[in-house]
Amino acid sequence: MRSSTLRLAMALAASVVLAGAAGTGADAAEFNLRAEATALVMPDGRSIPMWGFALDSAPGANDGPVTVPGPLLEVPPDDATLTIRLANNLPEPVSIVIPGLITSMTPVRDGDGRIRSFAAETAPGGTGVYTWPNCTPGTYIYYSGTHAAVQVQMGLYGGVKKDAAPKTAHPGVPYDRDLLLLFSEIDPALHDAVAAPGGYGPGTAMTSTINYSPNYFLINGKAFPQAAPIFAGRPGERILLRFANAGLKTRIPIVPGLYLSVLGEDGSLFPYPKEQYTVDLLSLKTVEALIAPTGKGNYAVFDRRLGLANAASSPGGMLAYLGIYPPLMVETSADAVARGETFSLDVKLSEDLTQPFDVYLVVDTPGGAFTVGLDGETRRGIRPLFRNVQGFPAPFWTTIWEQIRVPLNIVPGIYTFYVAAIEAGTVPPIATLGDLNEGTPHVIMFDAQPVEVQ
Amino acid sequence: MNARYAGPVRSAALAAAILSLGCGPAAAMIDGVIGSSFTFTAKEGSISAGDGQSIYCWGYANGNGLMQYPGPTMIVSQGSAVTVALANELPEPVSIVFPGQGPVTARGGRPGLLAREAPPGGRCEYTFTAHRPGTYIYHSGTRPELQVEMGLVGALIVRPAGFDTAKPRAYEHPGSAYEDEFLYLLTEMDPVIHEHALKGTLDRIDTTAYWPVYWFINGRNAPDTMLGAGVPWLPHQPYNCMPMGHPGDRMLFRFIGGGRDLHPLHTHGNHTLLIARDGRMLESVPGVSGPDLAVQMFTVTVAPGATYDAVFRWTGAKLGWDIYGHAPGDPMEPGEYAPDHGKPFPVVLPDAKDLAFGPQYSGSQFLGGQGLLPPGEGGFNPTAGFFYMSHSHNEKEMTNNDIFPGGMMTMVLIDRPGAMGPMMQAAEKGGN
Ligand SMILES: [Cu+2]
């Protein structure tokens, strides 16, 4: 930034109303961010005063929700320049810096020469323009470069991503889907001090952040169990995980059930990927890693430094699940149950099912029958679960949930629940259950889940 | 003094003592439970810290044995179907996760957040196939921020297919060959949490206020790390960590981050060649090239949950003097660094009356050398080996509750060819 005021003047002169997230179609991605106070409610009910960013559809529109972390800024592959127009609704000056993206910066100094802001400040109530003219592919963190010891902790951070080409993170690194996993922490003492009438700083109860001691631990702004499993992709897909750490402590994300191909860090590729199930995620670092899970399920990702509590209560903290779901899926809450016990059965259907279809649920039993409440008793064989479903709008998948009690008189063994989506109004030619699979005529999608009855 | 290499110990009493300890295999192997079917019991017990403090812990016992910290080191063969049956005698549900193994199927018990759990008084069972060789970790997946701290953590070693104890390899590739292997499972403890667990005031534990003051290698603080494995006065801490080898030996160090903090593990005497992380060799073409991306490390940053395989190979290279005090025409010793053969020791040692002696000084600066010592000095180094410290380079972690030295520290002993430190033999004998 040579001069934010000059840029602002130019921007105002142009008076172009820009869509928030969309590029202009030329070579510049432009985002309208607003810094504003908000609050996050922790799982234990504690409300934490935060500062966050909102993405507005136009400068001054004030129409985006304030979130922590701030909105993910997606720079289109052809856009060389990233521009952020910042509106400041906070009581102190703020700015935006993005380590790893090169731009000229104008630090602001206090009267005694000490740097107060790494980049030109946007005054309270004012607006500023920040530009990165040579935006290179990668994953980055943006955050406030002003009074950073306080403002970053208060929540003024978010992710930036830019791909080399559509669905290609870097040249030669294609992916099917991607997901940002942004780790951060909260020490409520700071937030309470900033929000208190006396505020924070010299002469107040809290004069510095030297005793920083976080006790809430967030992934994408949520502490367990606030987040439902995050849909990450389909079995067999290449899924790019974009890890980022906006906190002040080193985190070691671990995915115990998968190996990650760790591609690089800070937006740059390693010469060779590294196969690891842990990731070294130091403060303000970003790490890109590919996973390619073949099996469906919810894969836990958590902080192996064990930030897994919400203050003194446990479980909590940095624990999330990566949902790897086929477009049609049957899941059970247990893979082994005793007779007399209850378990739940979920059938999940995704928007990938665009044509009319029927869903069939079949149970392969070694002996004895289950009662699946939707349609009475289920025996070995095939029966419709429900019919003429017309595909699903958002949310991504729809769940049909069943609570099933295992009869006491049932024969122990493996019971397999088969679910098939079948072209609407057709009957698959099935003589035996073994015929039911993805290749069966009229079957669009198919899934199975075994449960052991003990 | 500058005495020439004085030859091996001639003391009949000491020789007899060494012989009485029996002869182990040629290569030092990590202590543990070898097999594919394991039965663990989660139970309580108290360990002894390096300062003598007793710390109440939870740990995995082998079968119905004593609670041990860390849990039994599982040693399995690549491709084997591994079953771990877990019984729980603790007041909280417990479980086991096996990072890097998968898929793990579980039966019994009840669902948990990371794995099925054995409720108090209950059981559950885990099964997985050990597809790939390497160094791995296991630990509780139930409230791990509390239960790992309490001690529910251990090591898993998967031997490559075709493993040959005479020519051991960490992975299939010859680039992972070694002569001796040693485990460094690194953990920490905050005794305040353990006191609450002992008193039953679990609800008063705040794991976010965790402040460790004890640092462990294989469940022991220095100086206990250097005692033999299985010594009777540490019944809950059966594993030691005192690597011993000979010049030129490839000593495989299996580092595991078992606790919550990162530890910069530093070796004296030489760098370690890092060949693998998280059970995967550092290789440019996975499964093909071998550890061609291995790097020499002054300090290996051991992150929690992660594992590292590093080869420590000491020859005395580039010391600039002959470690045996050879004359140029003398025969070479196995593993000797040839360019320094016959080079004289470059300084004249002060007279004995001007020296302070450590207990590990043999009276000679030469490997395997013996010299005159004043009465009452020495005696802790009967084979006249070289001792090199290895420790956390976060020096604060070399303490036991604020008392230095201690903590995450041990010694690596390099013995002259043919000699074997008495503690190494004890360790081999003590392995179960
Ligand atoms: Cu040192």
Side-chain angles (χ1 to χ4, degrees):
Chain A
M1 288 304 304
R2 276 176 294 275
S3 160
S4 64
T5 45
L6 174 64
R7 300 255 171 190
L8 177 61
M10 290 164 62
L12 291 173
S15 69
V16 177
V17 179
L18 297 164
T24 59
D27 63 347
E30 308 209 5
F31 299 90
N32 301 299
L33 289 186
R34 172 167 38 94
E36 198 166 290
T38 182
L40 283 184
V41 179
M42 295 295 104
D44 58 7
R46 182 164 183 169
S47 179
I48 314 273
M50 302 290 294
W51 292 350
F53 287 112
L55 184 66
D56 289 334
S57 61
N62 284 343
D63 55 356
V66 182
T67 59
V68 179
L72 172 64
L73 307 182
E74 300 185 34
V75 180
D78 332 342
D79 289 359
T81 301
L82 164 64
T83 301
I84 296 175
R85 297 162 198 286
L86 177 62
N88 182 9
N89 286 356
L90 289 171
E92 56 179 80
V94 297
S95 63
I96 301 219
V97 295
I98 307 177
L101 291 184
I102 308 303
T103 191
S104 62
M105 293 159 74
T106 310
V108 179
R109 293 173 188 271
D110 275 335
D112 61 4
R114 294 197 305 171
I115 288 182
R116 183 174 77 206
S117 180
F118 305 136
E121 293 176 342
T122 296
T127 58
V129 179
Y130 300 84
T131 305
W132 291 264
N134 183 24
C135 198
T136 46
T139 306
Y140 306 94
I141 298 173
Y142 67 90
Y143 64 99
S144 177
T146 305
H147 201 189
V150 166
Q151 294 192 1
V152 178
Q153 290 184 47
M154 286 300 290
L156 293 175
Y157 47 76
V160 180
K161 74 167 190 183
K162 180 180 175 172
D163 284 341
K167 300 274 185 190
T168 303
H170 299 271
V173 185
Y175 65 84
D176 297 308
R177 292 176 213 259
D178 69 333
L179 179 65
L180 175 70
L181 294 169
L182 191 147
F183 290 65
S184 63
E185 308 131 1
I186 292 173
D187 176 358
L190 173 81
H191 297 251
D192 291 346
V194 168
Y200 160 98
T204 69
M206 186 181 239
T207 56
S208 84
T209 58
I210 191 70
N211 292 322
Y212 178 68
S213 181
N215 60 1
Y216 292 99
F217 310 96
L218 316 176
I219 298 177
N220 292 348
K222 293 193 164 90
F224 185 83
Q226 285 179 328
I230 307 165
F231 175 74
R234 304 266 180 243
E237 286 185 339
R238 282 165 62 92
I239 300 158
L240 179 67
L241 301 179
R242 301 175 186 269
F243 292 96
N245 184 355
L248 303 191
K249 305 278 190 183
T250 296
R251 296 293 159 196
I252 307 289
I254 179 170
V255 187
L258 290 173
Y259 269 86
L260 305 101
S261 177
V262 183
L263 303 174
E265 57 189 39
D266 297 346
S268 294
L269 289 181
F270 298 138
Y272 299 94
K274 305 174 182 188
E275 275 190 276
Q276 299 173 190
Y277 57 78
T278 52
V279 174
D280 298 344
L281 194 66
L282 283 70
S283 289
L284 277 179
K285 188 162 280 296
T286 69
V287 175
E288 294 174 354
L290 277 171
I291 55 171
T294 53
K296 66 175 180 175
N298 292 317
Y299 292 82
V301 54
F302 65 95
D303 167 37
R304 187 53 183 75
R305 296 205 65 210
L306 305 178
L308 295 175
N310 302 321
S313 73
S314 171
M318 290 168 169
L319 168 62
Y321 293 93
L322 305 174
I324 306 296
Y325 307 138
L328 169 78
M329 180 168 69
V330 55
E331 266 192 316
T332 52
S333 60
D335 34 49
V337 288
R339 284 172 288 180
E341 279 186 356
T342 301
F343 68 101
S344 64
L345 172 91
D346 298 291
V347 178
K348 292 179 174 176
L349 297 146
S350 84
E351 66 200 11
D352 291 14
L353 281 164
T354 51
Q355 65 187 105
F357 62 91
D358 297 342
V359 172
Y360 281 73
L361 173 70
V362 184
V363 191
D364 184 12
T365 82
F370 277 100
T371 298
V372 181
L374 287 174
D375 194 24
E377 202 169 70
T378 302
R379 292 193 178 82
R380 185 184 173 94
I382 185 163
R383 70 173 186 95
L385 182 61
F386 55 88
R387 307 198 68 136
N388 293 325
V389 181
Q390 295 284 336
F392 284 90
F396 193 84
W397 39 258
T398 298
T399 295
I400 295 128
W401 183 81
E402 280 286 292
Q403 196 71 20
I404 299 172
R405 187 169 179 277
V406 183
L408 286 167
N409 59 353
I410 210 163
V411 176
I414 304 288
Y415 288 70
T416 304
F417 292 83
Y418 295 87
V419 168
I422 292 159
E423 289 165 19
T426 66
V427 178
I430 299 170
T432 70
L433 201 61
D435 296 340
L436 184 61
N437 55 54
E438 262 143 2
T440 308
H442 307 303
V443 169
I444 309 167
M445 288 167 186
F446 173 83
D447 192 34
Q449 178 68 42
V451 172
E452 182 182 353
V453 173
Q454 296 168 336
Chain B
M1 200 151 65
N2 235 0
R4 280 293 190 83
Y5 164 58
V9 180
R10 295 276 185 258
S11 154
L14 185 63
I18 291 173
L19 284 173
S20 74
L21 287 164
C23 267
M29 309 288 274
I30 288 171
D31 297 328
V33 183
I34 299 170
S36 60
S37 183
F38 300 85
T39 305
F40 289 171
T41 308
K43 52 168 71 170
E44 62 180 13
S46 289
I47 64 163
S48 176
D51 59 353
Q53 182 67 258
S54 176
I55 304 176
Y56 172 77
C57 287
W58 297 344
Y60 298 110
N62 186 29
N64 202 28
L66 290 176
M67 182 289 286
Q68 67 173 77
Y69 181 61
T73 298
M74 301 166 57
I75 301 175
V76 309
S77 298
Q78 181 181 6
S80 58
V82 179
T83 302
V84 184
L86 176 64
N88 183 11
E89 296 181 3
L90 293 172
E92 287 212 333
V94 297
S95 60
I96 310 180
V97 290
F98 300 91
Q101 310 300 326
V104 179
T105 56
R107 41 184 293 176
R110 66 182 208 193
L113 291 177
L114 299 175
R116 285 188 78 81
E117 301 172 338
R123 317 175 68 87
C124 66
E125 188 176 278
Y126 307 92
T127 306
F128 61 89
T129 300
H131 290 290
R132 301 277 296 268
T135 305
Y136 302 96
I137 183 177
Y138 68 86
H139 61 81
S140 178
T142 305
R143 291 187 73 186
E145 73 285 359
L146 171 65
Q147 296 195 356
V148 172
E149 161 75 32
M150 288 301 295
L152 291 160
V153 59
L156 164 66
I157 293 169
V158 182
R159 301 284 189 210
F163 182 71
D164 178 355
T165 52
K167 288 182 177 177
R169 292 175 181 177
Y171 297 85
E172 303 95 321
H173 196 274
S176 66
Y178 61 88
E179 276 79 43
D180 319 293
E181 60 168 354
F182 303 93
L183 184 67
Y184 281 74
L185 188 136
L186 311 182
T187 54
E188 331 82 33
M189 277 189 186
D190 174 354
V192 174
I193 292 172
H194 296 253
E195 284 162 22
H196 279 304
L198 175 62
K199 289 187 282 190
T201 47
L202 289 170
D203 55 329
R204 290 186 55 201
I205 293 173
D206 179 356
T207 59
T208 69
Y210 151 85
W211 188 256
V213 293
Y214 290 103
W215 291 272
F216 299 82
I217 305 174
N218 298 343
R220 293 187 187 177
N221 307 123
D224 297 343
T225 47
M226 292 168 271
L227 294 170
V231 292
W233 61 92
L234 294 172
H236 298 285
Q237 296 149 281
Y239 301 139
N240 70 342
C241 180
M242 185 156 178
M244 303 188 194
H246 303 111
D249 279 1
R250 286 162 296 187
M251 301 167 72
L252 178 73
F253 293 170
R254 299 179 185 263
F255 299 124
I256 299 177
R260 297 179 66 172
D261 283 340
L262 291 87
H263 302 288
L265 211 292
H266 169 61
T267 51
H268 289 198
N270 208 342
H271 291 6
T272 53
L273 180 69
L274 186 66
I275 62 166
R277 171 165 178 176
D278 290 357
R280 296 291 183 267
M281 280 185 290
L282 305 180
E283 52 186 344
S284 56
V285 185
V288 175
S289 50
D292 59 339
L293 303 179
V295 278
Q296 291 282 357
M297 305 292 273
F298 173 76
T299 291
V300 177
T301 303
V302 180
T307 74
Y308 307 80
D309 296 308
V311 177
F312 181 83
R313 190 159 187 257
W314 190 92
T315 61
K318 298 175 186 171
L319 279 175
W321 51 279
D322 188 309
I323 57 172
Y324 299 101
H326 288 131
D330 287 349
M332 295 276 287
E333 294 282 348
E336 187 180 340
Y337 179 65
D340 285 345
H341 186 68
K343 287 190 186 170
F345 190 66
V347 295
V348 176
L349 290 183
D351 188 80
K353 68 179 183 298
D354 298 324
L355 289 173
F357 295 91
Q360 283 140 348
Y361 186 51
S362 67
S364 163
Q365 69 274 43
F366 297 119
L367 187 63
Q370 302 284 334
L372 291 174
L373 285 166
E377 298 291 357
F380 278 71
N381 187 5
T383 55
F386 287 175
F387 282 74
Y388 292 106
M389 190 183 283
S390 67
H391 63 98
S392 169
H393 238 175
N394 182 344
E395 310 266 331
K396 172 185 170 179
E397 298 176 351
M398 291 171 64
T399 58
N400 297 326
N401 203 6
D402 213 15
I403 299 169
F404 176 89
M408 196 172 279
M409 188 269 277
T410 191
M411 291 286 181
V412 175
L413 173 60
I414 304 296
D415 258 336
R416 65 177 292 275
M420 191 189 275
M423 283 180 281
M424 170 185 271
Q425 300 202 1
E428 284 171 359
K429 200 172 180 213
N432 42 359

